[in-house]
Amino acid sequence: MSFNLHEGSIQEIANGGSPKSPVLQVLGIKKIQSAGAQGSERYRLLLSDGKHTQSSAMLATQQNHLVNSGQLQNNCVIRLEKYICNTIQDNRRVLIMLEVQVLGNPPNKIGNPTPVNLAAGGNAPAPAQNAFGSSFGQGRRPLTSVPQPSFYRGGAAHTVNGGMNRPGNQGGAARPNQGGSGASFYGRSNVAASPGTPGRGKPTPIAGLNPYQNRWTIRARVTNKGTIRTWNNARGEGKLFSMDLVDESGEIRATAFNDQCDKFFDLIEIGKVYFFSKGSLKTANKKFTSIQNDYEMSFSNDTTVVLCEDEAEIPTIQYNFVPIEKLEDMEPNTVIDLIGVCKSYGEVTTIVTRATSKELNKRELQIVDMSGKQVNFTLWGAEADKFDGSGSPVLAVKGARLSDFGGRSVGSTFSSTLMINPDIPEAYQLRGWYDKVGCNAEAQSISTGGGGGAGRPTNWKSFQQVKDEGLGMGEKPDYFTTKGTIVFMKKENSMYQACPTQECNKKVVDLQNGFFSCEKCSKEFPNFKYRMILNANVADYSGNQWATCFQESAETILGQNTEYLGNLKDQDDSAYDQVFTEANFKSYIFTMRAKMDTYNDESRIRCSCVGVQPVDFKEYSKKLINDIRQMAAV
């Protein structure tokens, strides 16, 4: 099979042109590592059009699979469906390939190409220069002056930038063009100069940004905007907020600090499109974002943000969904995008954070997808308060954090975006599956049974099955759910006097002088609080198991709060004993944590109770009926 390369296309690109879908040959592939510990792999290619070669060509990370799968290799012929070209500081043109089609793989090099002559177009008329010193394509008319860009809000025009608002620049006064970059992007139209837009010619695509550029303008949609956060440490105090930006080529995280935080927070709105320019770029920290970009943007004093009226070409939020069944193979603290159906959800509960000692609301949800797996998802703050899970909505979460708490669980963060029943193909596909199949199927949970009372327990096991399957024998603990009955409890040493502070539960020492000492806090207190660690023997139809029940679980089993039980123990021993007697032979749904424990050179499986729920006999009967159906099918 013969291939016709587009001779002259590389020279045209070197001269600033953008030939449509050039057909080229790959003569070499070199693997490089992006800057920073979190950098991803990149590939540099040597391209040929049969007449000239181009050595400064980079494959976009979203196209890496072509190399990893072996489709893209030496001598193969490709068509560049979409690409960008940046001019860096030494006037060298760097080609970034965003969309590549592999046409074939001839055995040998086609033609005898020579390196492209960057000065070959020297006799041509010099391309127009914008105020940033960037060159536009040959034959384009330079923009000499445009009206001052304005940000319209509430009927008034406001210039949004990092410097001062100059009254003399308002009202349409002419000024030199300040936009554009040396990037050309095939596959999108120019941004027309108009009174409502900056008139910058072609904006730089997000995929073309790098720290070596200092003059650029992007046109992007704000898909997420976080709340203002503050910090106070040894180096000082400050505030910031972050936002996610997206255009046709990719996405990037941007952050505004201190003065820029105050200036831009109220002006920038989610869902709108803006021109952003004069920010700084640095290597992205992938621990805190699921954005697929090696770099992130920070606003500076010179940063300019202008509302764009023409937003039809700019896409909305971009997702990189991870199936629930893949979460068990991922590292904890990974930031992911998740989609699933809310199968069940609990009530809002309040916790006290250790860092700030402030109350924070949370809500536990159970999310299921087409893999048949289920995971616990935690909403925090205002999102937890306003969430309504009735009707089993489809949830799409961008920027959630994966945790190994309770097996595997997922939680929202300050920068997460939650969409309910989003208008995307994945949501419609998931809704159809759930309505036909998923709503009646028993999902296998990769989390604990329901976070101490929220939702429907899963991963049911009897105590005999736990032993037969070797749960808890691995490096990580295993979690299971069972219906069990309390047959005996050790009331001796079940309560202790603890530090009265909210964030500390360390046992205190009675100083016999009216004060109690906490070694962890290094303080003395005139009082204490009671805490409970209850050892209970739980039995099911297959056997029994000793389990350790901590504060909340113990209070559920005994039906009394710990403070009341502590006072009862000090004042009335018989009434205290009666509480334990009445709690025997009652059944609950237990969520257990099984882990190998070694004591005095003896190893054994130790079970801890992480959740206790009263038996919902209606739901439990559904579970038994489903078990019978599954056994009958086998």
Side-chain angles (χ1 to χ4, degrees):
M1 182 178 179
S2 61
F3 297 94
N4 294 320
L5 304 183
H6 290 182
E7 290 190 5
S9 57
I10 286 182
Q11 185 68 68
E12 184 180 351
I13 292 174
N15 292 341
S18 300
K20 182 177 180 180
S21 302
V23 176
L24 307 172
Q25 185 178 27
V26 178
L27 299 184
I29 301 175
K30 182 180 179 181
K31 180 179 178 181
I32 61 176
Q33 188 73 25
S34 296
Q38 298 295 325
S40 58
E41 294 178 348
R42 300 292 297 269
Y43 291 96
R44 180 177 178 179
L45 277 63
L46 176 63
L47 301 178
S48 166
D49 63 2
K51 183 177 181 180
H52 295 107
T53 59
Q54 162 78 312
S55 60
S56 300
M58 299 294 298
L59 188 67
T61 54
Q62 62 265 30
Q63 298 292 308
N64 282 357
H65 67 278
L66 296 176
V67 178
N68 297 332
S69 64
Q71 298 178 60
L72 192 61
Q73 52 186 294
N74 289 344
N75 293 332
C76 73
V77 176
I78 62 173
R79 176 184 288 115
L80 297 186
E81 300 290 356
K82 186 178 290 187
Y83 61 92
I84 60 175
C85 209
N86 287 336
T87 302
I88 58 178
Q89 291 177 345
D90 58 357
N91 290 326
R92 183 160 52 93
R93 302 276 288 176
V94 177
L95 181 69
I96 301 177
M97 299 178 288
L98 301 176
E99 197 171 306
V100 177
Q101 180 182 358
V102 179
L103 303 180
N105 191 12
N108 301 310
K109 179 174 65 174
I110 300 175
N112 295 299
T114 58
V116 65
N117 183 7
L118 297 178
N123 296 327
Q129 297 285 329
N130 65 7
F132 285 167
S134 303
S135 60
F136 289 86
Q138 183 178 353
R140 292 195 181 98
R141 180 176 60 85
L143 297 173
T144 57
S145 64
V146 294
Q148 165 67 15
S150 298
F151 186 103
Y152 292 92
R153 183 177 180 85
H158 304 277
T159 301
V160 185
N161 54 45
M164 296 180 64
N165 293 339
R166 298 175 174 86
N169 286 339
Q170 297 179 8
R175 59 177 294 179
N177 172 48
Q178 291 190 354
S181 74
S184 59
F185 179 32
Y186 173 72
R188 68 160 41 154
S189 60
N190 292 353
V191 182
S194 68
T197 58
R200 291 178 167 85
K202 282 186 178 180
T204 301
I206 287 176
L209 294 176
N210 63 71
Y212 305 105
Q213 297 170 292
N214 55 9
R215 294 177 177 178
W216 46 261
T217 297
I218 63 171
R219 183 177 65 158
R221 188 184 302 276
V222 179
T223 58
N224 180 41
K225 186 179 79 169
T227 58
I228 293 179
R229 294 181 292 136
T230 60
W231 75 86
N232 189 346
N233 53 35
R235 292 182 293 179
E237 60 183 21
K239 64 181 70 174
L240 65 88
F241 80 95
S242 296
M243 69 195 82
D244 297 340
L245 310 177
V246 64
D247 70 3
E248 290 177 339
S249 69
E251 52 187 346
I252 194 169
R253 166 67 57 85
T255 303
F257 296 89
N258 298 325
D259 292 343
Q260 285 71 45
C261 177
D262 294 332
K263 184 179 295 294
F264 292 118
F265 183 79
D266 291 330
L267 296 177
I268 294 176
E269 300 181 22
I270 296 177
K272 292 191 175 181
V273 176
Y274 302 88
F275 291 94
F276 298 86
S277 62
K278 296 185 179 181
S280 61
L281 297 166
K282 65 177 182 179
T283 303
N285 189 339
K286 299 297 181 66
K287 291 183 178 180
F288 302 107
T289 178
S290 61
I291 296 294
Q292 300 298 304
N293 198 315
D294 290 337
Y295 305 110
E296 59 189 12
M297 182 194 308
S298 296
F299 286 8
S300 67
N301 290 332
D302 297 323
T303 297
T304 301
V305 182
V306 179
L307 181 66
C308 176
E309 297 177 351
D310 181 15
E311 58 181 56
E313 297 178 1
I314 306 301
T316 56
I317 189 169
Q318 294 183 348
Y319 293 101
N320 296 284
F321 293 123
V322 179
I324 294 177
E325 64 180 354
K326 300 292 186 181
L327 298 183
E328 292 179 292
D329 301 326
M330 302 180 69
E331 291 295 324
N333 294 320
T334 302
V335 179
I336 62 169
D337 298 343
L338 183 70
I339 188 169
V341 177
C342 178
K343 195 167 187 178
S344 57
Y345 61 102
E347 298 296 326
V348 175
T349 58
T350 303
I351 65 168
V352 178
T353 61
R354 292 184 178 181
T356 63
S357 298
K358 295 181 179 179
E359 291 187 348
L360 183 62
N361 290 345
K362 73 169 188 175
R363 188 193 296 266
E364 296 283 347
L365 286 63
Q366 284 67 50
I367 307 297
V368 64
D369 68 7
M370 295 174 64
S371 67
K373 295 295 183 71
Q374 177 175 303
V375 67
N376 284 358
F377 177 66
T378 304
L379 284 175
W380 298 94
E383 290 286 354
D385 294 332
K386 66 183 182 181
F387 178 78
D388 181 7
S390 58
S392 298
V394 176
L395 307 181
V397 189
K398 185 171 185 64
R401 186 174 298 279
L402 179 64
S403 170
D404 59 354
F405 177 77
R408 279 289 189 269
S409 59
V410 181
S412 62
T413 68
F414 63 88
S415 60
S416 298
T417 302
L418 173 65
M419 298 289 288
I420 299 177
N421 294 322
D423 186 15
I424 56 177
E426 294 90 342
Y428 290 112
Q429 185 180 16
L430 197 57
R431 169 54 60 195
W433 166 82
Y434 185 80
D435 291 342
K436 293 181 179 179
V437 179
C439 60
N440 296 318
E442 186 70 25
Q444 182 180 357
S445 179
I446 63 173
S447 309
T448 56
R456 180 186 301 172
T458 56
N459 196 28
W460 291 84
K461 302 288 181 184
S462 67
F463 289 130
Q464 187 60 46
Q465 287 175 318
V466 171
K467 296 177 182 177
D468 294 342
E469 297 177 14
L471 266 63
M473 301 291 287
E475 294 182 0
K476 296 183 179 180
D478 292 311
Y479 295 82
F480 66 95
T481 302
T482 190
K483 174 179 174 292
T485 302
I486 300 292
V487 295
F488 183 74
M489 290 172 289
K490 296 181 179 179
K491 60 179 179 290
E492 297 80 10
N493 300 321
S494 61
M495 305 190 69
Y496 69 94
Q497 297 170 341
C499 178
T501 60
Q502 290 183 332
E503 62 274 10
C504 180
N505 294 320
K506 185 74 174 178
K507 186 176 181 179
V508 297
V509 178
D510 190 349
L511 300 179
Q512 304 298 322
N513 61 357
F515 285 86
F516 302 85
S517 174
C518 175
E519 295 180 357
K520 181 179 179 181
C521 299
S522 299
K523 292 182 180 180
E524 295 181 2
F525 301 94
N527 61 334
F528 59 85
K529 65 183 177 186
Y530 276 108
R531 297 288 296 178
M532 177 171 285
I533 301 178
L534 179 66
N535 288 314
N537 192 275
V538 183
D540 66 5
Y541 68 90
S542 67
N544 65 328
Q545 174 69 48
W546 281 100
T548 302
C549 305
F550 296 96
Q551 184 84 355
E552 292 79 8
S553 299
E555 289 179 342
T556 300
I557 292 171
L558 295 175
Q560 301 289 348
N561 66 66
T562 308
E563 198 64 33
Y564 171 80
L565 290 173
N567 294 330
L568 199 63
K569 180 182 179 182
D570 295 336
Q571 300 171 9
D572 191 341
D573 284 342
S574 60
Y576 178 74
D577 293 342
Q578 185 64 26
V579 172
F580 283 80
T581 301
E582 293 178 354
N584 281 326
F585 304 108
K586 290 185 178 180
S587 297
Y588 300 91
I589 303 298
F590 293 90
T591 300
M592 298 282 192
R593 176 184 184 271
K595 185 73 176 70
M596 178 67 72
D597 182 38
T598 302
Y599 181 74
N600 289 337
D601 297 328
E602 181 180 351
S603 297
R604 62 176 182 176
I605 297 297
R606 180 176 180 177
C607 286
S608 300
C609 182
V610 298
V612 177
Q613 304 177 53
V615 181
D616 184 332
F617 288 99
K618 179 179 179 181
E619 291 296 326
Y620 187 63
S621 296
K622 290 181 179 179
K623 184 261 178 189
L624 295 177
I625 292 171
N626 187 66
D627 289 346
I628 294 172
R629 288 174 177 171
Q630 291 181 354
M631 288 187 289
V634 173

